[in-house]
Amino acid sequence: MKIQILSEEMASRIAAGEVVERPASAVKELIENSLDASATEIFISVEKSGTSSIRVSDNGEGMAPEDLNLAVERHATSKLKVDEDLFRIATLGFRGEALPSIGSVSKLQVVSRSPNAPTAQKLCVEGGKKGEMLPTAAAVGTSIEIKDIFFNTPARRKFLKAPATELSHICDAVNRMALAYPGVHFRLEHDGRTVADYVSVNDGQDRLYQVFGREIAKGLAAFDWRQGELAAHGFLSSAPLSFPNARYLYTFVNRRYVRDKVLTHAVLQGYETLLMKGQYPAVVLFLQVPFGEVDVNVHPAKFEVRFRRQSDVHEAVARAIRQALRQEAKEPGPRSGAISSSSFSGVREVALPYGLSARTAPDNPAPTYGNVFTLPPRAAAQEGFYSSMRVLGQILGCYLVCASSQGLALIDQHAAHERVAFEKLRRQMDAGKVAMQNLLIPQTVRLSAGEMMLLEQKLDVLRRFGFDLEPFGPDTYAIHSVPALLPEGDYSQVVRQMVADLAEVDTSSKLREHLEDRLATIACHSVIRANRMLEMDEMRALLSDLDQIDFATQCPHGRPVLIEISRDELERMFKRVL
Ligand code: ADP
Ligand code: MG
């Protein structure tokens, strides 16, 4: 590590702006420096939510005296050497701006010792004025103290939020770093109390437990995806666990936490129809891209990045998430809860053990020997989660009641049918052709002048969805064919709704994006409405259909298909156990 002052020209290319907006920004910058110095222990101690003091100590490589002297100068950095480095940044810092910026708005003291130095050195900066460097006793590493932040900038001081808010920003800053560096021990103290103490762990999943707590962490499954130079890994909630905001959605690029619209959008697109509107998943996404493919020099606090190939990144992330979810839906771990809840206090752990054969489960009567011998082994192996349930009956005209290997399973027949129809349609759509049925007697649909015009423009699109329509008088269209999936009935309503839906989608590029919504509309019209008695074979057919599709746990609007109540939960409900 050798600090140099950047050339005027290079310095001017660096995204300028406010680095230190609030105490948490200083905490973030100091932690980044410690990580860049390869520290494995980073202890943060703040007083009065950081407004009175912030101290960050690390056991990193420290600074030699001459480096320390330079470190607090503007544009002094050991991380960029040649101009090209700016286009392949591998460190968290690179601007040489944090220490001088902090030094200009606070009373800053840096104590640092490099491994070969006989003693540590101390350097103070107050309101931008550098003091004299003095030897002092300290272990190898760096300890930085910031007192009275904004003491000389009352305007900025005034903009600080309530102490609890500022403290929560500091916690967020620490948590984000901690998620990306599980091997580093982080400790945060506030007014002498330990707020967080994350000892070093080998596994990112263990860090999740430390940072999020058990309640949330147990609902997250690991994923790992790679294609060419892009790699994505991390943890995600399977669909039933969701939140009313994006609080648990973290995106990192090359281990740097970023708030990026493209990434967030891609993640949500990966979930597409698995979440109800306004609900967000819990996702910790680590995206690895070649350093030259991403510009991190676009935002003063380095919270944003620019991808060279934005759409490739978007597609890759959406695909990675999708694939991980598909995997989870097929083999949910014991963590997958089937009960959706917006407040996680209500989330219960429900196991969906696909691997467990129902025939060995205690709740299911053992099959007769005849069964065992006549059952071809492959068919037995293929027996899915849903088919393995014993149907007990139907209640309230819309729920199937089943015995599952875990206990009691309730299935919303409407949601289940909708998901099945949706997946079938999507498959047909993907294969390029939606199965159509011709109507012997065409039906007519009357439309307003506006709808007529719209429909005229969207006839091709509607055809792709399986609707064949022809003009039939000035305010009427005749319906000749509809998707084969739709049951017999009055089709004018679904056509009308499709037209209304399409009105919102102006360009064909958006249509792709909204495809899922249209399919959901059709699926919704294709299903058994509530309050219909189902025969036993209809119920069994529905269960086996559910086994054939992906994402069988959610309807296309994100409502759950299945609620399972385990033996544990039943015992708790009946107070057999407490
Ligand atoms: P940047 O991180 O962008 O280089 P900073 O102002 O944050 O700029 O830090 C300036 C320099 O001081 C760094 O390049 C690094 O060499 C040195 N430095 C800062 N903090 C530490 C630390 N905790 N341990 C070792 N060196 C540090
Ligand atoms: Mg820095």
Side-chain angles (χ1 to χ4, degrees):
M1 172 122 23
K2 195 97 200 93
I3 300 182
Q4 300 173 341
I5 307 268
L6 296 177
S7 67
E8 242 347 277
E9 196 239 332
M10 182 115 136
S12 66
R13 276 194 269 156
I14 280 173
E18 241 23 289
V19 178
V20 194
E21 200 189 351
R22 54 172 17 126
S25 339
V27 171
K28 169 185 183 275
E29 293 292 337
L30 296 187
I31 297 178
E32 286 188 349
N33 282 343
S34 298
L35 290 169
D36 281 343
S38 314
T40 56
E41 280 172 4
I42 302 177
F43 298 149
I44 305 118
S45 161
V46 299
E47 273 162 42
K48 294 216 173 79
S49 302
T51 54
S52 138
S53 98
I54 296 171
R55 201 174 58 237
V56 176
S57 324
D58 68 49
N59 65 346
E61 60 200 37
M63 285 174 267
E66 63 276 18
D67 283 332
L68 174 57
N69 203 25
L70 271 182
V72 296
E73 302 285 345
R74 268 181 78 76
H75 303 309
T77 180
S78 55
K79 301 168 195 176
L80 299 184
K81 299 283 189 235
V82 288
D83 284 12
E84 292 76 54
D85 287 349
L86 194 49
F87 304 103
R88 43 159 200 262
I89 291 166
T91 46
L92 293 167
F94 52 87
R95 294 181 178 142
E97 278 196 325
L99 291 184
S101 303
I102 294 169
S104 69
V105 295
S106 71
K107 298 164 187 166
L108 172 73
Q109 177 191 288
V110 187
V111 173
S112 194
R113 180 176 164 192
S114 61
N116 303 326
T119 68
Q121 299 288 328
K122 176 163 90 176
L123 183 63
C124 296
V125 182
E126 190 170 322
K129 276 197 270 315
K130 189 157 89 170
E132 214 181 307
M133 199 157 60
L134 296 167
T136 183
V140 171
T142 303
S143 175
I144 297 187
E145 190 168 65
I146 302 169
K147 283 211 145 85
D148 302 326
I149 195 167
F150 304 142
F151 80 99
N152 55 352
T153 48
R156 210 150 341 145
R157 211 183 166 85
K158 231 172 49 202
F159 276 105
L160 291 179
K161 299 274 192 305
T165 310
E166 293 301 335
L167 182 61
S168 84
H169 283 299
I170 292 173
C171 293
D172 285 347
V174 174
N175 282 344
R176 289 166 189 154
M177 300 285 186
L179 285 171
Y181 290 83
V184 174
H185 182 177
F186 288 85
R187 186 191 301 142
L188 171 63
E189 286 176 4
H190 178 240
D191 291 345
R193 249 191 57 237
T194 302
V195 180
D197 192 7
Y198 309 143
V199 297
S200 158
V201 288
N202 289 326
D203 186 354
Q205 191 126 27
D206 293 336
R207 187 45 62 89
L208 281 190
Y209 276 81
Q210 294 172 327
V211 174
F212 290 164
R214 195 185 132 69
E215 202 64 55
I216 296 201
K218 74 179 183 197
L220 301 185
F223 70 94
D224 203 346
W225 185 92
R226 168 175 289 278
Q227 191 172 66
E229 291 183 308
L230 291 177
H233 76 276
F235 306 92
L236 45 58
S237 55
S238 53
L241 182 66
S242 63
F243 304 89
N245 52 43
R247 236 185 98 200
Y248 291 98
L249 211 164
Y250 292 79
T251 51
F252 297 83
V253 176
N254 296 343
R255 283 180 120 182
R256 179 194 303 280
Y257 171 81
V258 295
R259 291 189 281 249
D260 184 78
K261 285 209 187 71
V262 176
L263 291 183
T264 308
H265 186 267
V267 167
L268 294 178
Q269 182 149 313
Y271 276 83
E272 38 180 21
T273 56
L274 294 175
L275 289 171
M276 282 202 257
K277 284 233 159 23
Q279 288 288 304
Y280 292 83
V283 177
V284 180
L285 168 75
F286 296 106
L287 184 68
Q288 209 63 47
V289 297
F291 293 122
E293 289 286 310
V294 56
D295 185 1
V296 295
N297 181 27
V298 291
H299 184 266
K302 298 168 287 185
F303 272 130
E304 285 164 22
V305 293
R306 198 174 294 133
F307 296 108
R308 248 167 44 126
R309 280 179 277 225
Q310 177 172 311
S311 60
D312 287 358
V313 168
H314 184 278
E315 203 182 313
V317 168
R319 211 171 323 134
I321 298 284
R322 192 97 196 126
Q323 187 188 307
L325 285 169
R326 185 169 290 135
Q327 192 67 24
E328 264 300 287
K330 284 266 180 275
E331 301 157 15
R335 60 195 102 65
S336 299
I339 296 169
S340 174
S341 171
S342 49
S343 72
F344 50 82
S345 60
V347 173
R348 280 175 274 172
E349 204 172 7
V350 183
L352 297 180
Y354 276 65
L356 198 73
S357 161
R359 287 176 295 125
T360 57
D363 303 72
N364 287 272
T368 63
Y369 284 109
N371 262 348
V372 169
F373 288 125
T374 52
L375 218 55
R378 269 189 67 223
Q382 277 169 356
E383 183 171 51
F385 170 73
Y386 284 100
S387 320
S388 72
M389 293 192 211
R390 185 155 48 94
V391 181
L392 303 176
Q394 184 196 31
I395 54 167
L396 305 171
C398 62
Y399 302 107
L400 310 194
V401 183
C402 306
S404 73
S405 59
Q406 290 302 291
L408 180 69
L410 297 170
I411 291 165
D412 180 324
Q413 73 192 40
H414 185 201
H417 268 122
E418 224 174 285
R419 174 52 80 176
V420 168
F422 177 84
E423 293 293 337
K424 278 185 184 163
L425 266 175
R426 172 155 58 188
R427 243 177 247 173
Q428 294 175 0
M429 202 78 180
D430 286 348
K433 192 155 171 47
V434 169
M436 292 161 87
Q437 53 177 320
N438 293 323
L439 306 186
L440 283 179
I441 305 159
Q443 293 184 9
T444 55
V445 52
R446 283 182 71 157
L447 299 165
S448 70
E451 287 172 326
M452 286 296 284
M453 275 188 34
L454 247 172
L455 185 48
E456 198 182 298
Q457 291 159 19
K458 306 283 183 190
L459 279 177
D460 280 354
V461 178
L462 277 168
R463 241 198 105 75
R464 277 180 49 213
F465 283 99
F467 293 94
D468 190 14
L469 303 159
E470 270 174 29
F472 191 75
D475 61 351
T476 307
Y477 264 86
I479 309 170
H480 289 282
S481 314
V482 296
L485 217 72
L486 290 177
E488 213 173 302
D490 177 7
Y491 301 115
S492 61
Q493 220 185 330
V494 56
V495 168
R496 215 186 292 275
Q497 193 173 343
M498 291 293 289
V499 175
D501 282 356
L502 291 174
E504 288 169 20
V505 188
D506 35 2
T507 64
S508 54
S509 66
K510 278 211 187 134
L511 180 72
R512 257 201 72 73
E513 216 173 285
H514 293 262
L515 194 71
E516 309 281 340
D517 290 349
R518 306 293 83 73
L519 293 178
T521 300
I522 302 175
C524 184
H525 280 268
S526 75
V527 304
I528 305 174
R529 295 276 152 202
N531 298 320
R532 185 164 101 56
M533 288 303 293
L534 292 184
E535 301 297 333
M536 184 56 82
D537 54 347
E538 286 179 295
M539 295 195 253
R540 295 238 53 99
L542 180 57
L543 294 182
S544 100
D545 275 352
L546 281 172
D547 280 328
Q548 307 303 315
I549 59 167
D550 295 332
F551 309 117
T553 51
Q554 252 40 59
C555 85
H557 303 108
R559 284 200 301 113
V561 164
L562 167 80
I563 285 179
E564 204 177 24
I565 303 173
S566 68
R567 176 200 296 271
D568 277 1
E569 283 168 305
L570 286 170
E571 285 178 350
R572 251 179 279 135
M573 284 182 211
F574 286 109
K575 311 271 184 242
R576 283 163 167 263
V577 292
L578 291 175

